Amino acid sequence: MDAFLTWLRQDTAGLLTLAGLGIALLLFLIIKLKVEPFIALVGVGVLVALAGGVSIPDLVGTPIKSSDALIEKGFAGILGHITLIIGLGTVLGAILERSGGAEVLLGKLVGIFGEKGTPLAMGITGFVLGIPVFFDIGIFVLAPLIYVAAVRGGKSLVLYALPLLAGLSITHAFLPPHPGPVAAAGLFHVELGWIIIMGLACGIPAWFVGGILFGTWIGKRIIVPVPEDRIVPEAEEAKGHEPSIGVVLLVIGLPMLLILGGTFGNIFAPEGALRDTLIFFGNPGIALTVAVLVAMWLLGFRQGMTAEELGELSGSSLKPVGMILLVVGAGAFFGAVLAATGVGKAVAGTLSAAGLPLIVSAYVIACGMRIAQGSATVAIVTTGGILAPVLTSGEYTQPQLALIVMAISAGSIIASHVNDGGFWIIAKYFNMTVKQTLQTWTVLETVLSVVGFAMASILFLFVR
């Protein structure tokens, strides 16, 4: 037994076996036993740590001092980075949703592109609104607009739904303040400004190829009617009270502009008041706080909301965030365990010896995690934990690290199928059978993944 444990903890093959057994157990608990991902991640993390030779005091601390314990540092390091960002981003999206900003944005785009260009307008709406709004909330808010467009156009729901879903999916996987890219940026110590730049560079081509080109092609071939019970008259009570399109775009774009200003101000601005100001307002927490305050005023008070209504809206929107934070924190702990036992370096070294570039390895691991257990966020944080020991060595520049994050993000959305909750939401909301959902949504996610990874790989060849 001692010889086996020594092999498991010190030999590269043993460490890889430990990693494989840990991930297999994790997937078994999540997929077969339906254990909540954050509970499975913590439990498996503890078992891998003990099997890998981490001492109990190092793992959980002592009754006198636990702040240096692996379980606390694993959670605290990443949650300190993402909690404020995700919380503020959620409130911002909720205010935008309640104010009617989504309808204003879509209506303006349909006016620009015309009825024939409605699928493109849907796609742009999904991409822009998807920046501050979580994926599933975006579906709930925008589904009625898709029904109306399909009835007006007399065409398949698929033609209007897929472009919008592509926009929501890309922003969820590639851009802050969504939990996956924010968590990966925290694990690899990447500035969010670079995540935004590379997310747009990789995400926009993927969105266009998947959502617009493929979405239009398949939408003309798979005919899905609008269910009778989903045909509802357009609401009239909000008419005359919607915000202007300029205000909507300001609220969505303000935090991104501030973060980018901080990133480039830190690089190019000379030392002094200007640089300090750009860095201050470019901090993601500060940028999102400013955006939320602006949204509360322009989309809240000026649209007739009371302070009490805004408070209730903020509180209700934050309720689902707790589970997201638990999953991300538990994933970071699991990654810290893999680093502490040496598994991360063994996996990365083996992949390197196999001749795979690190960016390809990142994509392959994320794809495997996504296909196996369904959650994009779990796939990102688990892959990030495996690769973090290598990626924080200082060998890679900020743009290169951001592109590796994009490769992981691309892998995290591939081949959505029956183990993904989003698969069933889309099947239900858009009146599709399982076969039709596989033909449309699953293929769409795969196209988005492949094109996004291709863009990240091409850019990786040129950035330094």
Side-chain angles (χ1 to χ4, degrees), residues 228-307:
E228 290 294 329
D229 61 352
R230 299 294 173 88
I231 301 177
V232 295
E234 297 181 65
E236 295 293 333
E237 64 271 11
K239 301 297 182 184
H241 298 284
E242 300 105 332
S244 69
I245 185 63
V247 169
V248 172
L249 294 176
L250 171 66
V251 168
I252 294 173
L254 180 60
M256 298 185 70
L257 291 175
L258 290 174
I259 292 170
L260 288 172
T263 297
F264 288 105
N266 186 45
I267 297 172
F268 298 112
E271 291 189 12
L274 175 61
R275 181 182 183 186
D276 291 343
T277 301
L278 289 172
I279 291 174
F280 175 77
F281 285 103
N283 175 275
I286 299 296
L288 281 163
T289 299
V290 171
V292 167
L293 292 175
V294 170
M296 284 182 168
W297 174 251
L298 295 178
L299 299 179
F301 294 125
R302 289 189 60 179
Q303 300 301 316
M305 290 189 200
T306 65

Side-chain angles (χ1 to χ4, degrees), residues 58-77:
D58 286 342
L59 178 61
V60 299
T62 66
I64 298 175
K65 185 177 183 181
S66 62
S67 59
D68 292 333
L70 189 61
I71 194 167
E72 289 200 13
K73 289 192 295 184
F75 267 85

Side-chain angles (χ1 to χ4, degrees), residues 204-228:
I204 291 175
W207 162 80
F208 183 77
V209 173
I212 306 305
L213 298 183
F214 171 73
T216 301
W217 181 81
I218 197 70
K220 295 176 180 178
R221 287 160 176 79
I222 296 182
I223 307 303
V224 178
V226 180
E228 290 294 329

Side-chain angles (χ1 to χ4, degrees), residues 7-31:
W7 172 77
L8 200 66
R9 296 169 180 175
Q10 297 180 6
D11 189 272
T12 298
L15 288 168
L16 293 176
T17 300
L18 178 62
L21 291 174
I23 292 172
L25 177 59
L26 175 65
L27 297 176
F28 175 77
L29 292 173
I30 294 173
I31 297 169

